[in-house]
Amino acid sequence: MSKVKYYYDAETLSYRKVQKRKRNTFRKITVFFIASALFGFLFFNLASQFYESPQARKLKRENEFLKLSLAQSQEDVSDLAKVIKNVEERDNSIYRIYFDAAPIADEQRQSGFGGVNRYKDYEGFDSSEKVIGLKESVDKLKKRVAIQSKSLDEIEELAKSKEELLVSIPAIQPVRNKDLTRMASGYGYRTDPFNKTRKFHYGMDFTAPRGTPVFATGDGVIARADANSAGYGNHIRIDHGFGYVSLYAHLRATNPYNVRVGQRVKRGDIIGYVGSTGRSQAPHLHYEVFKDTERINPINFYYGNLTPEEFNLLLKASQQENISLD
């Protein structure tokens, strides 16, 4: 039961009942609800500064995961770009030249996409710049792979008429991976192990136990098998024809050769054994490739027996500027 309120009327000198007006009541209710809503809004904003809802925490975790995935994808794309770059260089500097095909210009291989904005749907977000950059890199890689694939198709057609050349090119590693202790030194400037000066190393050094088999890297004829070249010790040279010669140095002292001069050999035949004769500090095979009497980097000729992963590991090891063994 609601309380009845009175007020003193000075004119009648009596107490009169207070009459409630609906307008005042409505005004009070409205003020109450507005105040309550304002308080609730302020309380929610204040609480959200210190406490995260389960939904907010879930979204935050998903956002962190997406950022991590984006960063990892960028690294993967960068690694793939390095691999395709190496394939392109080999394609231009070896395969296309040797098959009398003009090299493909870098501008053509790495050109972008003109005209319409291909990435409009990715704009307007916090990570738009990174996502668009990644998408653009992937699209360029796709284009480079398509161009390279077309180039290899062209090379394949040229190769059909040059089968003899293909079997003659020194195209495998001269020492099996399972027999290697390590790839000691590659083609390029290295520190000389005897006088400690920096000089150009014209081949690749494969460290392996004494007596490890050495394989012919391409079909050809044994041109030399002797120790009459300064520094090489017991060594073999194979004339593959087409201007190619491969050299295998520092073979073992006793029974170093499994072939004789003038003998025809096939790729994969055992021709000798690892040793440390000549100017050598430890048992290893020093391997060189010549094209038209000029020494060239042997790393470009291991497509015959290495997987892409094995080739990448060998490439990284060969590029380290360390101390050679000869």
Side-chain angles (χ1 to χ4, degrees), residues 18 34 111 157 168 193 319:
V18 175
I34 292 175
S111 61
E157 291 299 318
S168 299
Q319 291 174 339

Side-chain angles (χ1 to χ4, degrees), residues 28 55-56 59 76 106 127 130 156 251 255 304:
K28 291 179 180 178
Q55 183 68 13
L59 291 174
D76 292 341
D106 286 343
S127 300
K130 292 182 179 180
E156 183 180 8
L251 303 178
N255 299 320

